[in-house]
Amino acid sequence: MDLHDAHGWLIDLFNDISVQFQKVPGSAIFLRYVKSSYQNDPVRSAVELFLFLFAIRYLLAPKYSTSKKSYVKLTDEEIDELVDEWVPEPLVAPQTSFEEAENEKRPVIVGPTGPKSKLANGRVVTNVASYNFYNLAGNETLKEKAIQTLRTYGVGPCGPPGFYGTQDVHQKTEADISAHLGTTACIVYAQAFSTISSVIPAFSKRGDIIVADKAVNFAIRKGMQISRSSIRWYEHNDMVDLQNVLASVVKEQAKKPLTRRFIVTEGLFENLGDMVDLVKVVELRHRYKFRLILDETWSFGVLGRTGAGVTEHQGVNVKEVDMLVGSLAGPLCAGGGFCAGSSEIVEHQRLSASAYTFSAALPAMLATTASEVLAMLESNSEMLTQVRENIKTMWGQLDPRSEWVHCTSAVENPIMILVLKAEVVASRKLSISEQEQLLQEMVDEALANGVMMTRLKSMPRGINVTAKEVGWELQPGLKVCLTLGLSRKEVERTGTVIRHAITKVMKARR
């Protein structure tokens, strides 16, 4: 067959195929679609042809089994041997002898907590170990209000806020907090610790950047860990180092895809008691375009003219803080936590914050207690004034008059954290464990003289975690919590007992 015959055969074959194709129902419509598509958009026709051929190739591809076993098959004896050799890692580290001795001597309070507390051994001691700053733990007005709420709403909502857990008292508490702070909106959580640890991962995800103070509390650290964001640390309360870190992050990310960037810090630091320089932090966040998450767990209800926190105390507009997180369980003697900010910030958490979405709502009586305490702080500034007077009195008894310890807390903080002076630690070459032992002896000595205080405690280091992996490590200290339930003379006497206990222990261990 020559070329001319082959060409004629192909034409006849094409005509036969065309005739047979036209006999198929709908073929005319298909041909008009192809011609119109090719004329208007030939690229689309090529893509559709490719997809058609790919579908045919996929349907005609040979089948393969997904149940092929590519792993090594072990005998029953080998499996039993591996099981016998396996030793599970302990969930917690075993107690040390120091911890066991501490637990054996731990005082137990019988009855309500107050400035004067009765112990299980029958002794009545001055209690400076609880966060009862305004002596509200036994307040009869709050107690009666809580009883009324309990009879009306029951013990708990028994459901998450997003389902049937939200009650009118929760909405009122959110509105009261928002009005007290001056924010647009507020969301209330059922537990203080899980508030900040849920707020952070609700906004910061893998690939985002968090710049945080090295001394932030354990709840913040857990939130950052859950978020899986990239963490950059700056030295505690060092604004120069913060600026350097922010500038470094901006420079590193200049040619990379845009990410969310946050600064995370505290108002009053739980581990040291000192105060953030919020004015400078706000200036830097605007300069380098970072969002700001501020944990006011220990400053809300304490700082400011009405207890609105560090923003009120330092004269910073609350709108300069993107997420303002606080606790209702400490100074307010209620329970739960909150996050205040813009409406968009709050509404996002109602679906994205795990502690809000998957936890039962705050009990109604705790919500009403928080609202009542806020009303007290707004109407009775004497509460704040008296606590601050007691703080000054205690400072006069301890910090300048003791040759062994100094206070790291801000002068407005009712939680006084006393740590051994650097020269004392250096001269005696005291390790962390030795400092803890000395401080516990001071606690025991003060209790023997009628004053119950406690030690500053942090979460224990994880199993097999090195000091390098920890990074910043908490210095042991004493924790003394002031309350307006004590008179000036009682505060002076309490300070004298604590100072003498410190001196006695230190001189006995020369």
Side-chain angles (χ1 to χ4, degrees):
M1 181 182 295
D2 56 14
L3 183 62
H4 180 74
D5 294 338
H7 182 263
W9 180 81
L10 288 174
I11 292 175
D12 293 339
L13 178 62
F14 178 79
N15 290 333
D16 291 339
I17 293 174
S18 176
V19 170
Q20 296 299 322
F21 179 76
Q22 290 176 3
K23 294 179 180 179
V24 177
S27 59
I29 297 175
F30 176 76
L31 288 174
R32 284 199 304 270
Y33 170 77
V34 172
K35 291 178 180 179
S36 174
S37 172
Y38 181 77
Q39 290 174 356
N40 297 332
D41 191 356
V43 176
R44 188 181 71 175
S45 298
V47 172
E48 291 176 345
L49 177 63
F50 171 78
L51 293 175
F52 176 73
L53 296 176
F54 176 80
I56 294 176
R57 169 68 180 82
Y58 180 78
L59 293 174
L60 298 179
K63 296 181 179 179
Y64 60 91
S65 174
T66 58
S67 60
K68 291 182 179 180
K69 298 179 180 180
S70 59
Y71 54 85
V72 178
K73 184 173 178 59
L74 300 176
T75 63
D76 293 341
E77 292 77 11
E78 290 173 327
I79 294 174
D80 292 338
E81 183 179 350
L82 290 173
V83 171
D84 293 337
E85 292 177 353
W86 181 72
V87 179
E89 186 175 309
L91 295 177
V92 295
Q95 280 193 337
T96 63
S97 56
F98 171 67
E99 291 171 337
E100 291 177 352
E102 181 187 3
N103 288 333
E104 289 178 2
K105 295 184 292 184
R106 193 182 305 278
V108 178
I109 296 176
V110 178
T113 300
K116 300 289 184 179
S117 299
K118 184 178 180 180
L119 303 182
N121 58 13
R123 294 182 60 204
V124 176
V125 296
T126 301
N127 184 357
V128 288
S130 65
Y131 306 127
N132 188 23
F133 306 143
Y134 303 114
N135 195 24
L136 298 174
N139 185 280
E140 291 299 325
T141 302
L142 294 178
K143 191 183 298 183
E144 183 59 31
K145 185 68 175 180
I147 292 173
Q148 292 175 4
T149 306
L150 179 63
R151 288 173 176 165
T152 304
Y153 295 91
V155 176
C158 301
F163 289 89
Y164 48 84
T166 299
Q167 298 169 321
D168 56 351
V169 291
H170 298 117
Q171 295 174 329
K172 182 181 184 303
T173 301
E174 290 177 349
D176 290 342
I177 296 171
S178 180
H180 188 73
L181 289 170
T183 59
T184 307
C186 176
I187 181 173
V188 168
Y189 288 76
Q191 208 239 5
F193 181 91
S194 62
T195 302
I196 187 66
S197 59
S198 293
V199 170
I200 293 174
F203 293 94
S204 185
K205 309 294 183 181
R206 187 192 298 273
D208 296 333
I209 298 173
I210 295 176
V211 176
D213 191 297
K214 283 188 174 181
V216 292
N217 60 53
F218 184 69
I220 292 177
R221 291 174 182 270
K222 293 306 292 183
M224 294 190 297
Q225 179 185 9
I226 295 169
S227 74
R228 299 188 177 185
S229 303
S230 299
I231 312 299
R232 297 288 298 272
W233 301 99
Y234 67 93
E235 295 299 327
H236 172 60
N237 248 352
D238 188 338
M239 296 298 103
V240 174
D241 191 48
L242 171 59
Q243 181 175 348
N244 293 336
V245 173
L246 295 179
S248 174
V249 170
V250 170
K251 184 178 180 181
E252 292 171 3
Q253 298 295 314
K255 297 183 180 180
K256 296 182 180 179
L258 186 64
T259 59
R260 287 171 292 228
R261 305 168 187 173
F262 300 87
I263 299 174
V264 180
T265 187
E266 295 182 71
L268 286 176
F269 286 86
E270 179 180 328
N271 292 324
L272 290 165
D274 53 350
M275 191 187 311
V276 68
D277 184 355
L278 187 60
V279 176
K280 187 64 176 179
V281 172
V282 168
E283 176 194 331
L284 292 175
R285 67 150 291 199
H286 283 301
R287 184 186 305 177
Y288 294 99
K289 297 179 175 57
F290 275 68
R291 295 178 176 91
L292 176 59
I293 302 177
L294 178 64
D295 185 0
E296 291 220 59
T297 295
W298 300 108
S299 52
F300 179 73
V302 170
L303 298 179
R305 184 181 59 84
T306 63
V310 70
T311 53
E312 184 180 53
H313 179 74
Q314 297 188 8
V316 175
N317 190 328
V318 72
K319 294 180 181 179
E320 301 287 355
V321 180
D322 295 287
M323 284 146 271
L324 196 154
V325 181
S327 169
L328 305 176
L332 272 60
C333 286
F338 69 87
C339 179
S342 66
S343 299
E344 294 79 8
I345 290 290
V346 167
E347 293 306 316
H348 175 77
Q349 295 175 63
R350 297 195 190 278
L351 293 177
S352 300
S354 57
Y356 184 86
T357 308
F358 301 110
S359 297
L362 183 70
M365 58 182 174
L366 295 180
T368 55
T369 299
S371 292
E372 289 294 317
V373 175
L374 284 178
M376 289 181 178
L377 291 174
E378 290 177 350
S379 61
N380 186 8
S381 60
E382 282 297 314
M383 295 171 62
L384 292 155
T385 302
Q386 191 172 344
V387 169
R388 290 164 186 168
E389 288 298 323
N390 284 352
I391 296 171
K392 291 179 182 178
T393 302
M394 185 64 79
W395 267 80
Q397 291 294 321
L398 295 177
D399 191 290
R401 301 182 65 178
S402 176
E403 59 180 304
W404 309 103
V405 299
H406 74 97
C407 183
T408 61
S409 299
V411 293
E412 301 88 352
N413 194 347
I415 303 175
M416 293 182 64
I417 296 176
L418 306 171
V419 301
L420 293 172
K421 292 182 177 180
E423 56 269 25
V424 174
V425 174
S427 63
R428 300 197 178 192
K429 298 180 181 179
L430 297 173
S431 64
I432 295 294
S433 59
E434 289 172 336
Q435 292 178 59
E436 290 179 340
Q437 180 66 49
L438 283 172
L439 295 170
Q440 184 58 44
E441 291 179 14
M442 297 172 191
V443 170
D444 296 339
E445 179 63 27
L447 183 62
N449 288 278
V451 174
M452 182 172 66
M453 60 178 177
T454 186
R455 289 190 297 112
L456 178 65
K457 299 176 183 178
S458 64
M459 292 299 295
R461 185 185 297 177
I463 299 172
N464 299 327
V465 174
T466 64
K468 184 177 180 180
E469 292 172 316
V470 171
W472 185 86
E473 196 160 20
L474 176 69
Q475 182 180 358
L478 298 172
K479 184 184 286 187
V480 179
C481 303
L482 277 301
T483 173
L484 60 75
L486 298 175
S487 66
R488 180 184 179 88
K489 288 186 178 180
E490 288 174 325
V491 173
E492 289 176 346
R493 178 191 171 276
T494 301
T496 302
V497 170
I498 294 173
R499 188 177 74 252
H500 288 172
I502 294 170
T503 301
K504 181 177 179 180
V505 170
M506 294 305 295
K507 287 185 175 180
R509 294 287 296 268
R510 286 188 182 277

